[in-house]
Each structure stands twice: as structure tokens, then as C-alpha cells.
Amino acid sequence: MSSNDASAAPVQRAKTTGLHKGDIVPGVAKVDPIIIADGIRRTFGGLTAVNVDHVEIPRNAITALIGPNGAGKTTLFNLLTGFDKPDEGKWTFDGHSLAGMGAHKVAGLGQVRTFQLTKALGLLTVLENMKLGAKDQIGENIFRAVIPSLWRKQEAEIEERAIVLLKKFKLDAKSSDFAASLSGGQRKLLEMARALMSQPTLVMLDEPMAGVNPALTQSLLDHILDLKEEGMTVLFVEHDMHMVRHIADWVIVMAEGQVVAEGPPDEVMKNQAVIDAYLGSHQDVDLGIVTGRIEGELNTEAIKLAAEVKHLDENIANRKETGK
Amino acid sequence: MDILQILSNTGSSLIAPATIGYALAALGLAMHFGFTGLLNMGMAAFMAIGAYGYAISILTFGFPWWGGMLVGVGGSLVFALILGIPTLRLRGDYLAIVTIAAAEVVRLLFLTTTFDKYTGSADGLSGYHESFRAFNPIPDGTYGFGPWEYNANGWWVRIFGIAILALAAFILWAVMRSPWGRVIKGIREDEDAVRALGKNVFSYKLQSLMLGGVFGAMGGIIYALPASVNPGVYVTSLTFFVYTALLLGGAATIFGPIIGSVIFWGVQTLLSNLLPAMVNVGLLPFMTTTQSQTVRFILVGVALMLLVIYRPQGILGNKKELTFVK
């Protein structure tokens, strides 16, 4: 199913299609789901942050989770990864039920996540950050830790693997620096590389592009596409619609804690519910032209919007005058 | 003013059992605070449990000296579990509040007259030396030179203490250079990130609390080994003094806590001898000898403040590796 079109060109790689079974509706069944969640509810006091009846994440594909601020995307992330516990609901990962399982055990099953606010371990070197990501280390037991001959060999293998990954993410020159000395974008890269050290089957990225410059964005996108080619499944939260359109094979839209739509990216973005809830009706209109600060042509819809803006401006001006 | 006597006392304090006891406790805090980021403000309780465990099991139950030490160490492990299981899920600053309270509970339990038969309440415990001294391989007599002249028992306590200190420093060094130590330092930086990588953070924090607690208990035992167990020692300010020694040397280092303790006690002894002598010869006309003893502790407080503000990494610490300035 996945594209084998692994040419070096960084531009467009073939999307994975045919992921769903039957008609596309919110909660549609997938051909080969890696995560199946049922009746997940999480409330904070009176606020229902997440209320998902049924959702499936397709295996070996890139799934984007989008939605307005406060839609419950990160909360759902936390619930799926064991960082938070739902009030009710059950969900499985790769056939294992995860209900009531702690975050470290979930990670042990091969589901690794990154954070919206990057968590680089500042006072560890970049290489130490990477090595920490490796799973099943003999020397992480306190008694075996005292006898280096037990863990030296594994440590050397881990270091080798870390250096290969660091080269790929262009961080190898920084490997002996403290992670605290990295820039924001480099920390994002480090966090992603560190997550890959655990050789996961599902990588969950919480806003991987937030605060990353355009040049780095391109290489991050390629890294994410590479993950799919290496057989991993990716689920990410993102606000950058261009990125979502560019790399996602499947898009799940959340609003007010619920899944309101899902489907292949091009179709989802035409969906009226999605446009209303999230994208807004004027997403293709240049705001500069609408407000009259830049010369340019407007289509009929934008002209209406421009009139609306003008009307609002006048109202404000009137209010100021009557205030005097 | 007898300068020679003052210097001799100061020199002697450098390898005093109290110094070694502080160094062990400071190593324990290096494990807790410097490496794991656990703000344990109850180190005095670990030391008290070590010392009382040692003394009570010898005096009441007739254990040999090594049995007493095992009881003291075992007691500190149990205390670490009782303290850690409910509190290690809390955020760092809550741990500080809970540990300070737990340490007071422990101290008051040892102080209350209810258990006078075992703990000696306010009088403390003494007269438990026979078994330890019977094991002394050094023949009777006085050895050493200058300020470091002690009898056989004095040397036995010091040599034993230094050996335990060396062993503790070695263990701390060995675990901190291992992958285990890497996880521990990762937890200090951000425990959620470490959790997301599949490590059982709670278990690691508990292990750290237990290992550092054992160092603290051994420190309490060495402190009490030459003389007596006095409940007035295990007060909260003991924890603060040990923190001063730790920060002086460098919180996230192996030798820092040891050097810090030596300097702390050297300066303490120097001031406690020098200040009254200066008052007596009229160099400090505005205070009495009693007041000068209080001034000593004021100076410790000022030194701690200056240290944290201007050299938070301590003497041996790496400037880049500040543990409490982020």
C-alpha cells in the first residue's frame, strides 16, 4: 500500500490511499488500523475536553489531527499515550489494550511521542539525549550499572545507532554540546531523533512544525515522510494546513472534543463542516487586500468580506466619535 | 591568643568523624538533589534513623556493631519507601514540604518520652562502643603527628569512616557514569520526556531516594560512632548545613560534597576558636564570647546565600551544569 517511490526529489511523494472501508464518515473503519479507540471521554470539571465515540488510526500511513485551539487534540494525544487517564473508554494499540496503562509502558510497546513544548534534556549532551532514547538497556538496572563489562558492548551499539541518526538530522556536529545550547528548531529535530532511537512502530508528533523556520520545515517534512517509508506509522497534530495537505495521507478533524470529519486531505478540506469549524471561509483571501493595505484583485466573496471589514471600521470610528 | 592551638583544632576537624558523616550525607544529597533533582529537605531524618538504628539495636537487642549498622541502613531503606511511595508522584516543591515534615516527625518520635526505654528521649543514647572497639585491629597507643594525633580508637573510627566514604563515592561514581545515571540525569531535566521514552520514572526516583538515603544513614552512624546519639543533632538545620556543604563543593559532582564538607567543618572550627579568642584579646569589643558563637552561624547563612547567588555550581561544578538555575 505504501509508496515505494523513494526518489531523492524532496517535492511530492505519492500518498497512501485506500485506507478506509466503506463510506467516509467520522469514525470510519480502516483496512488495517493500528489504534482503535472507543467511547473516550475526558472531562475537566464541567468541561468535556474529549468525547470521541470511535476513531481508528491507519497503519503505515501519515495521519494528521487538526482542529481549532481547544478542540482536544493534545488531550487526546495525552490519553492515547498514557500521560492522562480518560473518565471512560477503551482503546487498543496493535491489539494491546492500553486502558489504565502508564506512559512508560505504552512507550515500551513501541508508541513514542514528542511534545508541543519541546522537551530537550538541556543539561545532557545531544549524544546523551539520543542514547537515553534506546530501549531495553542492560545498564539501566542499578545493580548491573555498577559492572560496566555487562553493558559496554550494548552501549557502543547504541552510540553507533545514535550517530547515524544524528548525521541524518544534521546534528552530528553538535553531539557533545549540551542540548540547552541548541536552537528551538534544532531541539525539535533532536526530540524527533531521540524518539526514533526507541525504534517505535507509531510516532506521535505534537505540533512538529511550531516555531520552525521554512528551511528546516522542508527537512522535517522529509524526515516524517521517511518514517512512513521505513514502515512506521505517524500521527501528528498540526496547524499548518500546507504541511497537512503536503504530507498527510489521512486527516482527522476535531472540534469541541469530537471527531467532526475525516478523510483524505483534499476531500476533508472541501468539507463544509471543516471549513466552518476550523479553516474559515476566507482562507484563500489575502488579508492585506481585504483591509485595503495592498492593491490587488478580489473575487466576489472577498469583495463581500471587504465590505464587511469596511463596515466594521466605520462602526469603530463612529463609536470613538460618540465617545468624545 | 593561641594561634597554634586554633590552627591545630582546625586541622584536626578536617578528618573528624563529624566531617566524614557530613560528607556521606552530602553525597546522599548529591544523589537526591544534584543528580535526580529531588529536593529532599529531610536528610536529617535519614541520619537519625541510621544513628538510632545502630545504637538501639546494640543497646537494646545486643546486636554486634555490623548488625547495628545493617539495621540502621535497613531502617533508612524502609523510611525511603514510606516517604517515597506517596510523595514521589508530587512535583518537586511539594516533595520538599513533605520531607521537611517527615523529618520532624521522625525527630519527635525519637525525642518523645514514650519510647524512653529504647531511645533515651532527650538524653539520647551512649555506651554502645564496646563491640565496635573490640574489632579494632590497631594496637593500643597514640599515633600521628601535629593536629592529627589520636589514640587507637580515634584512628579506628576515622579509618573506618574514610573507607565507607570512599566506598560510597565509588558507588555513586560507578552508577552515575552508567546508563542508569543517564536516566537519572534525564529525570532531573524533564521527567515527562524520560517517561515518553519508556522509562519507569517513579521506580528510578525511588531507587535514587533509597541509595542516597543509605548514604545519609551511614553518615548518621559515622557521626555518632565515636561518642553518642543526641536528639538535638538531628534538627532541620542539620539538613541545611549538609546542603551548605553540598552546594559549596558542587551539587552534581562526586568529590564536591566531600570537599565541601571538609571546608565547611574547617571554617566552622576555625571561626568557633578564632572569634572567642579575638573577643578575649579585645579585637571585637562590641560582642561577648557567647555572641561570637552565634555570629558563626550567621556567617554560615550569609555564606550559603552568597554561594547560591554568585557561584551556584560550587567549587567543582561545571558552570554550564547548574542544577537549580534554569
Side-chain angles (χ1 to χ4, degrees):
Chain A
M1 289 216 315
S2 125
S3 100
N4 287 323
D5 167 40
S7 58
V11 215
Q12 191 73 33
R13 293 188 231 189
K15 295 277 177 81
T16 307
T17 51
L19 295 165
H20 61 283
K21 289 196 277 205
D23 288 339
I24 298 183
V25 288
V28 62
K30 304 297 180 318
V31 176
D32 184 13
I34 190 164
I35 285 186
I36 305 171
D38 274 302
I40 306 267
R41 258 169 54 79
R42 177 72 171 108
T43 54
F44 298 109
L47 175 84
T48 305
V50 167
N51 186 6
V52 172
D53 290 334
H54 184 85
V55 72
E56 296 183 8
I57 312 291
R59 190 190 304 272
N60 196 14
I62 299 176
T63 304
L65 190 58
I66 64 170
N69 292 325
K73 305 180 299 288
T74 296
T75 309
L76 183 63
F77 242 60
N78 288 341
L79 293 172
L80 292 178
T81 49
F83 275 83
D84 194 5
K85 286 189 171 40
D87 303 333
E88 53 190 83
K90 54 178 196 276
W91 67 109
T92 61
F93 166 69
D94 231 353
H96 302 274
S97 171
L98 296 188
M101 200 182 263
H104 69 275
K105 285 191 184 151
V106 173
L109 289 174
Q111 176 183 328
V112 68
R113 71 169 294 182
T114 65
F115 294 86
Q116 189 173 351
L117 301 170
T118 323
K119 293 185 187 295
L121 305 169
L123 298 181
L124 265 61
T125 66
V126 170
L127 188 62
E128 281 177 320
N129 262 276
M130 293 294 289
K131 286 185 188 169
L132 188 65
K135 275 202 294 194
D136 303 322
Q137 296 190 41
I138 298 163
E140 286 184 354
N141 174 298
I142 186 166
F143 298 111
R144 287 189 293 240
V146 191
I147 309 162
S149 54
L150 291 177
W151 46 262
R152 264 219 185 102
K153 192 162 157 275
Q154 193 195 28
E155 180 84 353
E157 287 164 11
I158 290 169
E159 185 159 334
E160 217 170 285
R161 206 145 56 76
I163 289 170
V164 171
L165 267 174
L166 282 177
K167 277 209 179 102
K168 196 174 156 204
F169 282 79
K170 303 216 164 44
L171 288 169
D172 48 325
K174 295 257 176 197
S175 67
S176 54
D177 294 357
F178 279 122
S181 71
L182 298 182
S183 73
Q186 285 171 324
R187 286 180 204 197
K188 287 255 174 208
L189 285 173
L190 175 61
E191 198 182 21
M192 201 162 136
R194 189 177 65 199
L196 298 184
M197 280 298 288
S198 68
Q199 296 171 316
T201 47
L202 171 62
V203 183
M204 300 180 57
L205 307 168
D206 199 347
E207 299 204 12
M209 298 300 159
V212 175
N213 75 25
L216 206 53
T217 303
Q218 189 56 53
S219 80
L220 259 172
L221 288 180
D222 283 333
H223 287 312
I224 295 173
L225 287 165
D226 287 345
L227 297 183
K228 188 175 81 170
E229 261 155 37
E230 284 159 25
M232 286 175 239
T233 305
V234 180
L235 174 65
F236 70 95
V237 170
E238 188 52 66
H239 282 297
D240 181 342
M241 282 310 117
H242 295 290
M243 169 186 172
V244 171
R245 231 178 239 155
H246 186 52
I247 68 166
D249 302 312
W250 192 262
V251 177
I252 296 172
V253 188
M254 285 184 76
E256 290 169 3
Q258 292 170 326
V259 174
V260 292
E262 59 177 303
D266 291 333
E267 286 171 41
V268 161
M269 292 190 188
K270 284 182 211 140
N271 182 323
Q272 196 57 44
V274 177
I275 294 172
D276 289 347
Y278 183 39
L279 300 174
S281 5
H282 310 294
Q283 57 157 333
D284 291 326
V285 181
D286 192 319
L287 206 59
I289 302 173
V290 172
T291 52
R293 287 186 173 81
I294 299 175
E295 290 290 314
E297 289 207 2
L298 294 173
N299 58 21
T300 41
E301 207 185 320
I303 289 167
K304 246 191 271 168
L305 182 65
E308 214 175 289
V309 169
K310 205 175 166 203
H311 179 66
L312 285 171
D313 278 346
E314 278 166 6
N315 275 357
I316 292 167
N318 287 342
R319 204 173 301 154
K320 268 185 191 162
E321 264 169 35
T322 47
K324 273 179 191 170
Chain B
M1 196 157 64
D2 189 349
I3 296 283
L4 264 182
Q5 184 58 43
I6 291 171
L7 288 180
S8 164
N9 287 345
T10 305
S12 178
S13 76
L14 299 182
I15 57 163
T19 309
I20 301 169
Y22 264 54
L24 274 163
L27 271 183
L29 278 184
M31 176 80 258
H32 291 163
F33 174 69
F35 291 116
T36 324
L38 300 173
L39 199 50
N40 172 17
M41 282 289 171
M43 200 35 134
F46 284 99
M47 295 175 78
I49 286 168
Y52 274 99
Y54 175 70
I56 291 173
S57 50
I58 289 173
L59 291 173
T60 308
F61 302 102
F63 279 36
W65 64 274
W66 50 268
M69 286 186 187
L70 287 181
V71 169
V73 167
S76 72
L77 288 174
V78 173
F79 181 63
L81 281 174
I82 295 172
L83 190 64
I85 288 172
T87 56
L88 286 179
R89 295 177 201 281
L90 302 177
R91 230 177 47 206
D93 26 11
Y94 289 99
L95 184 72
I97 297 168
V98 174
T99 47
I100 212 167
E104 279 299 280
V105 170
V106 167
R107 185 177 71 86
L108 293 172
L109 280 178
F110 285 129
L111 190 60
T112 173
T113 51
T114 317
F115 311 116
D116 188 59
K117 212 169 105 193
Y118 307 104
T119 61
S121 60
D123 300 329
L125 294 167
S126 59
Y128 44 74
H129 306 293
E130 205 180 316
S131 165
F132 183 72
R133 285 178 184 167
F135 240 78
N136 187 354
I138 306 167
D140 276 343
T142 307
Y143 306 90
F145 62 92
W148 301 286
E149 209 172 283
Y150 311 105
N151 65 18
N153 285 328
W155 274 116
W156 175 223
V157 169
R158 283 169 178 79
I159 289 170
F160 182 81
I162 289 170
I164 293 288
L165 179 61
L167 180 67
F170 172 76
I171 291 173
L172 187 59
W173 171 79
V175 293
M176 283 320 295
R177 64 153 178 178
S178 75
W180 186 86
R182 191 160 61 217
V183 178
I184 288 290
K185 280 190 263 183
I187 290 170
R188 178 188 71 196
E189 297 303 311
D190 193 320
E191 57 177 80
D192 274 344
V194 176
R195 203 172 277 134
L197 294 170
K199 322 286 180 198
N200 187 345
V201 168
F202 176 73
S203 162
Y204 279 100
K205 288 208 279 192
L206 198 56
Q207 289 170 28
S208 164
L209 193 67
M210 291 170 86
L211 182 61
V214 167
F215 292 168
M218 278 316 295
I221 293 172
I222 303 291
Y223 192 100
L225 209 47
S228 63
V229 179
N230 177 356
V233 169
Y234 307 99
V235 291
T236 309
S237 54
L238 173 64
T239 303
F240 294 148
F241 289 153
V242 176
Y243 261 104
T244 309
L246 173 73
L247 297 177
L248 191 60
T253 61
I254 308 287
F255 289 107
I258 299 171
I259 288 173
S261 303
V262 169
I263 295 174
F264 178 83
W265 273 101
V267 172
Q268 278 275 317
T269 315
L270 181 68
L271 290 178
S272 72
N273 284 275
L274 187 65
L275 288 175
M278 284 168 77
V279 172
N280 284 338
V281 297
L283 278 173
L284 298 169
F286 46 86
M287 65 168 97
T288 66
T289 49
T290 327
Q291 284 171 335
S292 73
Q293 290 298 339
T294 315
V295 167
R296 175 162 69 104
F297 290 108
I298 294 174
L299 290 177
V300 171
V302 172
L304 180 58
M305 284 165 63
L306 292 176
L307 202 60
V308 170
I309 296 167
Y310 293 107
R311 199 171 166 85
Q313 75 272 32
I315 293 169
L316 294 185
N318 181 343
K319 175 84 188 170
K320 282 189 273 182
E321 201 167 335
L322 306 180
T323 53
F324 48 93
V325 183
K326 288 230 172 107

